[in-house]
């Protein structure tokens, strides 16, 4: 078994075996770039070592010796020689770069004998002792676990004693004394002297790298980033080049494009007379790379040439480490540079424009998370590290926001009118809170899941939201939120991260996400590749405009009950709900019709002929009932009834289980006038807008919610058709329209071929379908889903990611049944999972024709579809 590979034998494709760093060192060697010679001990060697209970085999040791030997031949130096010593660096390198693992040891091979060789060869004792003390420090830290501070403290103590300002004041003699002090530290801490034998140093260093694969920080990092434990790390052994060899030497790191903004051009920094870790350690301030052009123009030009070459070769922005030794440039590492979302978009677009990658490749490089980061604000990572977490909940709507907290919509609204940035905290929100929600920077609820009112509405508006923070006790009466001992009161400041679901105390600086043009370009390219449409769940003019701007092909779900928010409309809605007989129903219905027509006019005009699916009323009515005494009194006065009569009617309407009760199409079976009013408003508006805006054809798609049987659908369809025919006669005009239904009741899925006989189209309402398939209340599941996940009884929240096995199976049955009846019937998805990239992959597989999701999720959905093609 070969466990060691020379740089000139490997290639960039071998990152599994050689780790990312090793594979790229091999690739650069193959490209004949100035890479110090070396070899890689493979990840398989690491896994074997860990399996054998941490004992390096003789075979591996021999292989390493052989490769050291051939390095000696190539460099004309000798490992352990007192005349002309070969010194090496030892660096870890797994397939994915992993902070937290043991990283680097430099100058390995130095000892009390070889140091004289180094002095003789370089004529520089100061440099040589500086190298030796660095080896002691790094070796002590990563191999023997000696706290770095022990070394640092001694050095600082020494410098103070000598009244030196910085390391540059240290002379050869000083470093020599530091070496002696450091060697004493080894004995003090490990009761062993620093190993003088270079081969022993090497074996110990390699073993330490292997073992660091399993240190706690590395394991945690892998958990967080979903990296498999079974990969192992490689170890790179490379001949040393010295950036600390005087003023014509140095070391640095540079990106081929700006990793923060994506701007084209070399971006980086370097330090003269320094070794690698000096740049990172922050002891001295590095200089911008542009300064190198003044100091060593020919080295700078060479670096530019090589960085272009590497970028072109890897077809991506590179992050390059280099060292200059006596004006000679060496490359020590290259990799695709980590970057912000903005930079990622910009670099992709530039690379396509420069002809380096295709549009298809560009699309594959953008992730849905990057889109979220581009569209929504994010907290500054440096500040986040020190922030105090108050509570955690569900990441219901992404973004970052700070503000003062309020516990009622009314107070939030008042404060916002005074110019305050507010955050609304509620146990859960209801349609009544909408005016407070609209003005809030963020919304926090202690109850409810990913499809609760707060979550759905916030996502629709693009407002940051953390829902279902069960650990917060929200007392709306006392206006305080409590977690354990910590009590926050009205007016206190918090910061909400809707992307992670974390709430912090105090205010944290954030950066705005406003790079819409960059997104437009990528979305346009993605649309060229996408083979199913993405529509939006939207009903307000702002949401529709946002959806269209973000690439939606129309509206896949306009929830008409959302059009009844706001004081005046809600009031009419309440009058309608509480009406006891038809006569009392008609007045609020006519008023509501006017509101609806106003909205449909705007909607059709904005859509300019694009598809529009309007869902008829579907709320569990309790969501709209008056809640306070003031509201009851107000309603009583307006309807000439007593408050007691109103309360009595409310009692009559009370339901034990409203989500399974009098809602959706059942409302229309008992009170058909409601849907008739809505359909009249839709059709009249469509005719009027088409007349006004010559040239656009409007084909409204009317969607009936919560259908469970063919009979239900047929009965309603016939009634609605009659209403529509009456309008055509009155207006003396006919337009085309469709009447379809949602698939959100398991029975509807199982009998879909029958419903298909009377439905023009279908759309899966996966929120209710999940609720009814699992029997998990969508408003209460937050209380136990976390426990299910912790106990590994559930992989994911099924309201967030589609449950492929259960809900997904039902959906597949429905799709197959509908297609068998008529393959041309359009089937969409408009539940929340329609905006979840992971679920979209599955939905595509079962063959839906389009998906519909909140406006801000549209671009990521288009991208996912394009990537899956
Ligand atoms: C659904 O149930 O998935 C759906 C889209 O409807 P709503 O969320 O309005 O119940
Ligand atoms: Mg539903």
């Amino acid at each position: 078994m070969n466990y060691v590979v020379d740089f000139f034998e490997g290639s960039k494709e071998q990152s599994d075996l050689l780790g990312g760093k090793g594979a790229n060192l091999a690739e650069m060697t193959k490209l004949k770039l100035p890479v110090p010679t070396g070899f890689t001990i493979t990840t398989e060697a690491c896994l074997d070592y860990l399996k054998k209970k941490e004992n390096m085999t003789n075979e591996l040791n021999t292989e390493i010796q052989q490769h050291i030997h051939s390095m000696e031949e190539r460099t004309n130096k000798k490992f352990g020689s007192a005349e002309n010593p070969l010194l090496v660096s030892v660096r870890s390198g797994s397939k994915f770069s992993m902070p937290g693992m043991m990283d680097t040891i430099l100058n390995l091979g130095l000892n009390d004998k070889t140091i004289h060789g180094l002095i003789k060869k370089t004529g520089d004792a100061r440099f040589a002792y500086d190298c030796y003390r660095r080896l002691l420090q790094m070796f002590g830290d990563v191999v023997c676990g000696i706290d770095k501070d022990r070394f640092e403290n001694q050095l600082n103590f020494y410098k103070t004693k000598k009244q030196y300002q910085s390391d540059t004041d240290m002379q050869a003699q000083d470093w020599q004394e530091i070496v002696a002090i450091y060697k004493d530290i080894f004995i003090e801490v490990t009761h062993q002297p620093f190993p003088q034998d270079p081969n022993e140093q090497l074996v110990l260093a390699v073993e330490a790298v292997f073992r660091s694969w399993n240190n706690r920080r590395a394991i945690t990092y892998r958990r967080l980033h979903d990296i498999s434990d079974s990969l192992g790390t490689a170890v790179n052994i490379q001949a040393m080049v010295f950036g600390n060899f005087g003023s014509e030497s140095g070391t640095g790191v540079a990106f081929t494009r700006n990793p923060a903004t994506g701007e084209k051009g070399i971006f980086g920094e370097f330090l003269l007379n320094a070794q690698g870790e000096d740049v990172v350690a922050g002891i001295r301030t590095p200089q911008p790379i542009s300064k190198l052009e003044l100091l060593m123009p020919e080295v700078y030009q060479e670096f530019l040439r090589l960085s272009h070459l590497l970028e072109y070769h890897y077809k991506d922005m590179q992050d390059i480490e280099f060292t200059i030794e006596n004006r000679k440039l060496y490359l020590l590492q290259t990799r695709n540079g980590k970057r912000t979302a903005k930079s990622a978009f910009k670099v992709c677009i530039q690379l396509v424009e420069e002809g380096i990658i295709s549009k298809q490749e560009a699309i594959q490089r953008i992730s849905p998370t990057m889109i979220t980061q581009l569209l929504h604000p994010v907290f500054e990572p440096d500040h986040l590290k020190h922030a105090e977490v108050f509570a955690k909940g569900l990441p219901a709507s992404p973004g970052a926001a700070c503000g003062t907290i309020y516990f009622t919509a009314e107070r939030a609204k008042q404060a916002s009118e005074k110019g305050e940035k507010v955050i609304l905290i509620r146990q859960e929100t209801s349609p009544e809170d909408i005016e407070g929600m609209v003005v809030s920077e963020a919304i926090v609820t202690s109850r409810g899941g990913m499809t609760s009112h707060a979550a759905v509405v916030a996502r629709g508006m693009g407002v940051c939201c953390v829902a279902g923070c069960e650990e917060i006790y929200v007392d709306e009466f006392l206006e305080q939120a409590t977690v354990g001992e910590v009590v926050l009161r009205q007016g206190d400041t918090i910061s909400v991260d809707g992307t992670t679901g974390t709430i912090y105390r105090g205010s944290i600086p954030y950066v705005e996400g406003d790079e819409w043009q960059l997104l437009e370009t990528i979305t346009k390219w993605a649309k060229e590749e996408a083979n199913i449409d993405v529509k939006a769940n939207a009903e307000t003019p702002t949401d529709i405009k946002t959806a269209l701007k973000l690439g939606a092909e129309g509206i896949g779900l306009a929830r008409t009950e959302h059009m009844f928010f706001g004081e005046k409309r809600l009031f009419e809605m309440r009058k309608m709900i509480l009406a006891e007989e038809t006569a009392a129903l008609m007045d609020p219905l006519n008023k509501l019709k006017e509101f609806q027509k106003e909205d449909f006019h705007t909607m059709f005009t904005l859509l300019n002929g694009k598809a529009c699916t309007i869902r008829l009323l579907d709320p569990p009515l309790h969501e709209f009932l008056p809640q306070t005494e003031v509201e009851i009194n107000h309603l009583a006065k307006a309807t000439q009834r007593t408050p007691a009569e109103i309360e009595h009617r409310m009692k009559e309407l009370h339901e034990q289980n409203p989500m399974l009760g009098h809602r959706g199409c059942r409302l229309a079976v008992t009170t058909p006038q409601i849907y008739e009013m809505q359909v009249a408003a839709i059709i009249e508006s469509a005719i009027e807008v088409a007349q006004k805006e010559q040239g656009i054809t409007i084909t409204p798609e009317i969607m009936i919610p919560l259908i469970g049987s063919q009979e239900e659908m047929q009965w309603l369809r016939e009634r609605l058709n009659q209403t529509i025919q009456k309008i055509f006669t009155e207006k003396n005009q006919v337009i085309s329209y469709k009447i379809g239904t949602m698939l959100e009741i398991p029975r509807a899925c199982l009998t879909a071929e029958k419903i298909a006989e009377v439905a023009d189209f279908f759309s899966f309402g996966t929120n209710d379908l999940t609720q009814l398939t699992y029997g998990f209340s969508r408003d209460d599941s937050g209380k136990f889903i976390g426990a299910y996940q912790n106990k590994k009884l559930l992989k994911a929240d099924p309201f967030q990611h589609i449950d492929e096995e259960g809900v997904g199976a039902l959906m597949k049955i429905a799709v197959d049944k509908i297609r068998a009846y008529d393959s041309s019937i359009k089937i969409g998805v408009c539940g929340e999972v329609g905006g979840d990239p992971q679920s979209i992959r599955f939905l595509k597989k079962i063959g839906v024709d389009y998906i519909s999701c909140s406006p801000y999720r549209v671009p990521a959905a288009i991208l996912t579809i394009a990537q899956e093609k």
Side-chain angles (χ1 to χ4, degrees), residues 615 618 663 706 742 744 765 767-768 778:
R615 186 186 67 190
D618 171 42
R663 59 172 286 219
L706 229 68
M742 299 187 74
E744 47 188 351
N767 304 336
D768 276 306
R778 47 195 274 202

Side-chain angles (χ1 to χ4, degrees), residues 550-610:
L550 289 173
E553 285 303 329
I555 303 295
L557 172 66
R559 292 175 163 104
T560 49
E561 62 271 19
H562 285 189
M563 295 168 166
F564 299 132
F565 295 159
E567 212 180 315
K568 278 196 209 143
R569 295 174 177 215
L570 191 59
F571 183 63
E572 296 303 331
M573 181 77 172
R574 281 178 179 157
K575 277 179 24 192
M576 179 193 86
I577 295 170
L578 295 172
E580 273 147 336
E581 72 283 331
T582 316
L585 185 70
M586 290 326 284
D587 176 55
L589 266 185
N590 285 334
K591 295 230 175 68
L592 287 172
K593 184 177 173 191
E594 286 316 304
F595 291 133
Q596 293 257 267
K597 280 191 72 174
E598 229 175 81
D599 289 351
F600 294 139
H601 268 259
T602 316
M603 188 180 270
F604 291 137
T605 311
L606 285 173
L607 284 171
N608 197 23
K610 284 204 160 81

